[in-house]
Amino acid sequence: MVSFSALLSSVSLLVATLAPAALADNPINPSFPYGSQKVRGVNLGGWLVLEPWITPSLFDNTGNSAIVDEWTFGQLQDRNTALSTLQNHWNTWITEQDFIDIANAGLNHVRIPIGYWAFEVGPGEPYISGQLPYLQKAITWARNHGLKVIVDLHGAPGSQNGFDNSGHRISFPQWHSNSTNVARTDAIIKQIASLFINDQDVASVIAPLNEPAGYDGSDVLSVVRQYWYDSYGNIRFPYGTSQQSNTLVLLHDAFQPLSYWQGFQTPPNWQGVAMDTHIYQMFSQDEVSRSNQQHIQAACSMGSSLSSFDLWVIVGEWTPAATDCAKYLNGRGVGARYDGSYPGSTYVGSCNGLTGSASSFSSSYKQFLRQYWEAQTSTYEQGAGWIQWTWKAENADDWSYQAGLKNGWIPQDPTQRQYPNICN
């Protein structure tokens, strides 16, 4: 193992030393006209990477409150039980019918989160593999129904953010502080680029890492910047020659303002790079305390920064939900800021009728969800487009695109507007 990771490190070091001085690349020819046609899509959250708030039943059914993420899901229960639960979930949570419904809703992209453990599991890591065939099936389904796929590495070795959705909920992320973690991640991106080398007509985008914890400071950001250089080489040059892929490289902003990344990997020296930013208004006391109108105004105010940035900007995660009320949204066993049940938070209001089943939503609340959805999609289309989080959830209809379509706060045609002047 040591010699293997030493080899990996030297390879990524070589890419690293070459990358920042890359010669002017040729413009790529992706299978979707990014920049001229808007990305309109949805995330397939909670499928190949578990999230307690998306499928609370999978966690509650274990009867063990210490199972809070996919790491402990494999670690703290019978291995065969965990495996059969996961296999059943992979087979049923998303099927080809979902791809049919997504295409019929006028969407053109799906973003599919997947964890590193689908590709390799290291010694002492309790993850269960088996997700990869489903990702490959998803490419086939997307091709059948005219959708593009963003393959999104959502969890890296050591965890890049400590969130449960990275696979491992821990108090401080460890991905960036161990060069073996980064080398393993580089190897996985190479594997993804190679795996889909003949599927660039469908797998048109690779996102090399979701939400690295840039808010933890320069230690993280310096590793992320170098990893973005490595990833460009790994995604753009998968053939082992000077031949280039037509795959879009989608970099996350690492929770930094877009201005931080101004001039990073821009043409002509870099081609086919886009920036991913995630916009949520519920993960602080200030944000959950906003009125409906303030939520809408905050969304509307983001247009100019999206439209003026020097790379295509895709809002790769956002939601019409305006509270953190969804059960386990902040982690299994953790409460909500909105109703004051989150440690250190201040009560804003009751969560009743704001999440769970849409049958409990008032008509005025559904009207707000529609207005907020329109304000966001109209604004994010001032950039390169948007991908809502998420397609479906067991018990959080405020977050679910599927539920929004069914209950009328999301239009069957995503360009249709009831409130065309919402941001004026």
Side-chain angles (χ1 to χ4, degrees):
M1 187 64 206
V2 173
S3 58
F4 176 60
S5 58
L7 172 72
L8 279 182
S9 303
S10 61
V11 169
S12 59
L13 192 64
L14 178 66
V15 173
T17 15
L18 298 176
L23 298 170
D25 286 336
N26 299 317
I28 67 163
N29 184 26
S31 62
F32 183 87
Y34 296 99
S36 56
Q37 194 177 334
K38 298 306 177 190
V39 171
R40 299 182 178 114
V42 70
N43 285 276
L44 302 184
W47 182 30
L48 304 181
V49 176
L50 295 187
E51 299 198 28
W53 76 266
I54 297 178
T55 56
S57 70
L58 292 186
F59 289 83
D60 291 345
N61 290 346
T62 65
N64 183 345
S65 61
I67 296 178
V68 297
D69 54 22
E70 199 156 337
W71 177 283
T72 48
F73 197 87
Q75 181 185 41
L76 300 179
Q77 61 177 325
D78 176 76
R79 194 89 182 155
N80 291 329
T81 305
L83 177 61
S84 64
T85 304
L86 283 169
Q87 286 172 335
N88 181 60
H89 170 70
W90 297 331
N91 279 314
T92 56
W93 184 248
I94 298 290
T95 67
E96 188 165 9
Q97 185 60 49
D98 292 288
F99 283 72
I100 294 169
D101 295 344
I102 289 165
N104 286 342
L107 300 177
N108 50 37
H109 280 69
V110 291
R111 178 170 174 261
I112 305 182
I114 193 159
Y116 80 87
W117 55 94
F119 301 91
E120 60 101 353
V121 178
E125 297 174 346
Y127 287 120
I128 294 173
S129 297
Q131 299 85 349
L132 202 48
Y134 295 92
L135 179 60
Q136 291 170 301
K137 262 191 231 189
I139 302 290
T140 302
W141 297 337
R143 181 177 283 114
N144 291 348
H145 304 291
L147 295 165
K148 303 301 178 193
V149 172
I150 299 170
V151 179
D152 156 49
L153 189 66
H154 216 73
S159 179
Q160 73 278 17
N161 52 34
F163 304 161
D164 58 12
N165 57 60
S166 73
H168 198 188
R169 177 176 140 187
I170 48 177
S171 56
F172 193 78
Q174 295 165 1
W175 171 76
H176 66 280
S177 56
N178 179 327
S179 60
T180 305
N181 288 339
V182 180
R184 288 173 70 191
T185 317
D186 279 327
I188 287 164
I189 295 304
K190 287 182 178 168
Q191 199 178 334
I192 291 172
S194 167
L195 200 60
F196 299 118
I197 206 162
N198 297 318
D199 297 305
Q200 294 174 44
D201 58 317
V202 178
S204 55
V205 184
I206 295 174
L209 191 59
N210 179 65
E211 296 188 343
Y215 47 76
D216 282 328
S218 58
D219 286 2
V220 177
L221 285 167
S222 61
V223 175
V224 168
R225 291 175 79 94
Q226 186 56 62
Y227 175 71
W228 288 162
Y229 287 130
D230 295 354
S231 296
Y232 182 88
N234 292 336
I235 295 166
R236 178 65 62 250
F237 298 96
Y239 298 95
T241 67
S242 62
Q243 184 188 348
Q244 299 186 29
S245 72
N246 286 306
T247 310
L248 193 71
V249 180
L250 183 59
L251 307 177
H252 185 259
D253 64 13
F255 302 102
Q256 302 307 294
L258 288 174
S259 57
Y260 173 89
W261 297 102
Q262 200 80 31
F264 188 78
Q265 294 197 7
T266 48
N269 289 354
W270 311 85
Q271 298 289 351
V273 179
M275 189 59 67
D276 178 16
T277 191
H278 298 171
I279 300 176
Y280 290 120
Q281 292 190 43
M282 76 281 289
F283 294 117
S284 70
Q285 185 68 43
D286 165 63
E287 290 168 307
V288 291
S289 303
R290 292 174 184 168
S291 68
N292 288 350
Q293 196 51 43
Q294 286 171 325
H295 281 296
I296 289 168
Q297 284 166 341
C300 293
S301 72
M302 292 166 188
S304 58
S305 68
L306 298 174
S307 62
S308 62
F309 190 61
D310 54 17
L311 294 173
W312 296 320
V313 184
I314 297 171
V315 182
E317 293 188 21
W318 62 278
T319 173
T323 74
D324 64 341
C325 285
K327 179 184 174 182
Y328 300 160
L329 183 68
N330 296 305
R332 185 176 184 204
V334 181
R337 294 169 187 83
Y338 192 82
D339 67 2
S341 59
Y342 181 91
S345 65
T346 310
Y347 178 88
V348 178
S350 166
C351 282
N352 291 341
L354 298 181
T355 191
S357 167
S359 61
S360 71
F361 296 179
S362 68
S363 55
S364 63
Y365 180 49
K366 287 190 277 196
Q367 179 185 34
F368 162 68
L369 291 173
R370 175 67 178 241
Q371 290 171 326
Y372 193 29
W373 188 91
E374 289 194 17
Q376 290 187 84
T377 52
S378 298
T379 300
Y380 304 158
E381 289 189 16
Q382 292 179 47
W386 49 266
I387 303 158
Q388 183 178 317
W389 191 276
T390 186
W391 172 240
K392 59 183 288 203
E394 280 180 351
N395 193 32
D397 283 354
D398 46 331
W399 286 77
S400 163
Y401 204 102
Q402 189 182 55
L405 287 171
K406 184 179 166 193
N407 293 283
W409 65 82
I410 297 178
Q412 195 64 44
D413 170 357
T415 64
Q416 198 262 326
R417 294 286 176 263
Q418 283 179 6
Y419 303 97
N421 302 315
I422 190 83
C423 284
N424 295 353

